[in-house]
Amino acid sequence: MNDTVEEMKDKVSWPTYSELQNNSVLVLIGSLIFALVVGAMDFGFDTVLTWFYNQF
């Protein structure tokens, strides 16, 4: 247990608060872009498949 505490205190490089904020914003923007792309693909496939099924 003491090795774990020592490693967390001395050997781990923790990000600064500003680095943490910047990385959090990047993750949020990336997640939103990914969600929009997946949503657009879902809408497109739904539209195409609905049109296709209505042909029969």
Side-chain angles (χ1 to χ4, degrees), residues 2-51:
N2 289 336
D3 292 338
T4 304
V5 172
E6 180 184 335
E7 184 170 348
M8 294 298 284
K9 285 170 42 177
D10 299 330
K11 296 181 182 177
V12 174
S13 63
W14 297 98
T16 64
Y17 186 71
S18 63
E19 288 175 333
L20 190 62
Q21 284 181 320
N22 290 338
N23 290 337
S24 297
V25 169
L26 286 176
V27 168
L28 179 63
I29 291 171
S31 297
L32 289 174
I33 291 171
F34 184 73
L36 289 173
V37 168
V38 170
M41 290 172 57
D42 180 51
F43 179 75
F45 283 126
D46 182 52
T47 303
V48 170
L49 289 175
T50 300
W51 171 81

